[in-house]
Amino acid sequence: MSAPPAVSWAGAGPYAAALRSGRGPLFLRRADGWLLPLEVERWCARADSVDLAVLDRCEGAVLDVGCGPGRLVAELAARGRTVLGIDVSEAAVDHAGRRLGSPPVGRGQGTGRVLRRSVFEPLPGEGGWGTVLLMDGNIGIGGDPRALLDRVARLLGPGGLLIAETAVADVDERAEVQVVDGTDGGAGRGAAVGGGAFPWARLGTPALLRYAGRAGWRTAAQWSAGGRRFVALRGLPRSRPRASGRTRIASSSAEPPNSTALISSQRARKPSVDKPVADR
């Protein structure tokens, strides 16, 4: 089963405007008015200490699903890693591309690229990525965690690593949402110009571990830092043959799997989501 691309998110005018300005307010709004704040300022800033600790756990070449404005892609490329960021938003991909054009001075440059693409569409290097990142709540992409986990398993190389950021609350919910801004004077209902409703999911750590366990993933680590929560999942070696014609992505450094703990953002860039949702 595969989920469709979140075209409505890709065309959401409030999201593009927020990326241009580098600030919110911006929310995911459910049909009943329930709001989830999106951390635009953090996404548009450089990777923070919590992000950096996550990136320290990455192995091999990294695929950042829902990379948004590209803070993690830029940091990984500056570290000398091979990294591809994908997002459905043209504004996000443009922003990330500009970031990659200006790496931090004095640091080694890896191979960094961004593509406007959904995780459910064909991607470069399928079946050969060392790490797939689902940061900032991107485990919710497509509104079907089981379909997303199955897709990620096919993107990773045998025994590859998935690092996902989960909701702080113990939730397991799916809903149709819209991206809205705060143009109504702070009430939060705002405008959703250019984007309709699309499916989204919110998962806490217990819910993600349940889905992952049923799908055959092995839990490698789980932790909290800076008010955010993370899970690292290890894919099992595959017995099924890979589809022909797929290119294996070479690791940017020939390191063995990270033994300390395993643990970033397609055409559907999503919330950071470790904040409680506001009720309206």
Side-chain angles (χ1 to χ4, degrees):
M1 176 181 180
S2 63
V7 176
S8 294
W9 171 277
Y15 179 57
L19 292 188
R20 286 193 296 271
S21 67
R23 61 182 183 274
L26 198 67
F27 308 89
L28 287 185
R29 184 183 68 196
R30 208 165 59 187
D32 62 3
W34 201 51
L35 296 172
L36 177 68
L38 305 184
E39 299 183 65
V40 178
E41 290 85 354
R42 181 168 66 79
W43 299 344
C44 289
R46 290 183 56 180
D48 62 21
S49 60
V50 176
D51 295 328
L52 297 179
V54 170
L55 300 186
D56 288 343
R57 300 172 182 262
C58 290
E59 302 170 2
V62 181
L63 176 65
D64 185 4
V65 174
C67 66
R71 75 187 192 282
L72 304 178
V73 176
E75 174 61 29
L76 286 164
R79 291 182 177 201
R81 285 208 176 259
T82 296
V83 55
L84 171 65
I86 58 171
D87 203 290
V88 294
S89 165
E90 182 177 4
V93 169
D94 288 347
H95 195 297
R98 290 193 297 272
R99 265 184 160 159
L100 283 173
S102 303
V105 176
R107 305 182 66 185
Q109 294 185 36
T111 303
R113 292 196 301 151
V114 289
L115 290 176
R116 189 180 181 194
R117 195 78 54 88
S118 166
V119 68
F120 295 106
E121 294 179 322
L123 293 171
E126 295 199 14
W129 293 98
T131 303
V132 169
L133 297 171
L134 288 170
M135 295 281 278
D136 304 323
N138 284 330
I139 189 64
I141 287 170
D144 187 340
R146 287 170 292 192
L148 184 56
L149 285 170
D150 182 66
R151 176 60 176 143
V152 170
R154 295 175 182 277
L155 292 169
L156 286 168
L161 185 66
L162 165 61
I163 301 171
E165 184 170 353
T166 59
V168 172
D170 182 4
V171 295
D172 181 359
E173 60 185 30
R174 275 153 263 187
E176 294 285 317
V177 298
Q178 287 179 288
V179 179
V180 300
D181 59 23
T183 56
D184 58 350
R189 304 209 176 262
V193 179
F198 56 90
W200 191 249
R202 264 185 97 222
L203 295 184
T205 294
L208 176 55
L209 294 180
R210 286 195 298 271
Y211 286 116
R214 292 167 189 159
W217 294 83
R218 178 169 61 85
T219 303
Q222 52 182 299
W223 69 98
S224 300
R228 298 160 64 188
R229 294 187 178 179
F230 304 90
V231 171
L233 300 170
R234 178 72 70 185
L236 299 177
R238 288 194 298 268
S239 57
R240 64 178 182 272
R242 293 198 189 105
S244 60
R246 290 179 178 173
T247 304
R248 184 173 180 86
I249 296 290
S251 169
S252 59
S253 59
E255 81 274 15
N258 194 335
S259 60
T260 53
L262 308 304
I263 14 178
S264 162
S265 263
Q266 109 214 207
R267 231 174 156 162
R269 181 351 98 194
K270 269 355 125 255
S272 161
V273 166
D274 280 342
K275 288 187 175 178
V277 176
D279 241 332
R280 289 290 186 274

